[in-house]
């Protein structure tokens, strides 16, 4: 597992996992129409960004317990754009 302990792998995982989770969530609950409304899409997208970060937290815990610190830090860095987008869209 130590050969995968690189920042860039964690950052890629941290960026792609929330996006995949948001897309699966939208598809599973059939919420695509909420993003087509226009101005009403911003609060919905903000909440989806906040929701999308939760799988990253689980992944950080898994990497933390396996002592792959660089992967854990990379996933945390990859989660920041989603958190910043959620804050920016709520203001």
């Amino acid at each position: 597992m130590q050969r995968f302990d690189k920042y860039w792998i964690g950052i890629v995982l941290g960026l792609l996992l929330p996006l995949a989770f948001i897309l699966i969530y939208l598809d599973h609950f059939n919420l695509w129409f909420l993003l087509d409304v226009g101005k009403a899409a911003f609060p919905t997208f903000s909440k989806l960004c906040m929701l999308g970060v939760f799988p990253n937290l689980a992944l950080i815990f898994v990497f933390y317990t396996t002592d792959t610190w660089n992967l854990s830090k990379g996933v945390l860095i990859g989660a920041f754009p989603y958190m910043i987008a959620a804050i920016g869209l709520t203001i």
Side-chain angles (χ1 to χ4, degrees):
M1 190 73 174
Q2 294 298 327
R3 68 181 179 156
F4 296 115
D5 192 20
K6 299 189 181 353
Y7 280 112
W8 69 270
I9 295 173
I11 292 172
V12 169
L13 284 174
L15 288 172
L16 293 180
L17 186 65
L19 181 64
F21 185 76
I22 290 170
L23 292 175
I24 291 169
Y25 186 83
L26 285 172
D27 192 47
H28 180 72
F29 291 108
N30 199 17
L31 297 173
W32 289 103
F33 69 93
L34 290 175
L35 298 178
D36 294 335
V37 177
K39 285 189 177 182
F42 288 117
T44 304
F45 189 67
S46 170
K47 288 174 180 47
L48 286 172
C49 284
M50 286 187 263
L51 183 67
V53 175
F54 282 105
N56 276 359
L57 298 175
L59 200 59
I60 288 171
F61 177 74
V62 168
F63 291 148
Y64 175 74
T65 56
T66 58
D67 288 333
T68 50
W69 301 105
N70 291 334
L71 270 172
S72 180
K73 290 184 239 177
V75 169
L76 185 62
I77 290 169
F80 277 120
Y82 292 98
M83 291 186 271
I84 292 170
I87 291 169
L89 291 173
T90 56
I91 294 177

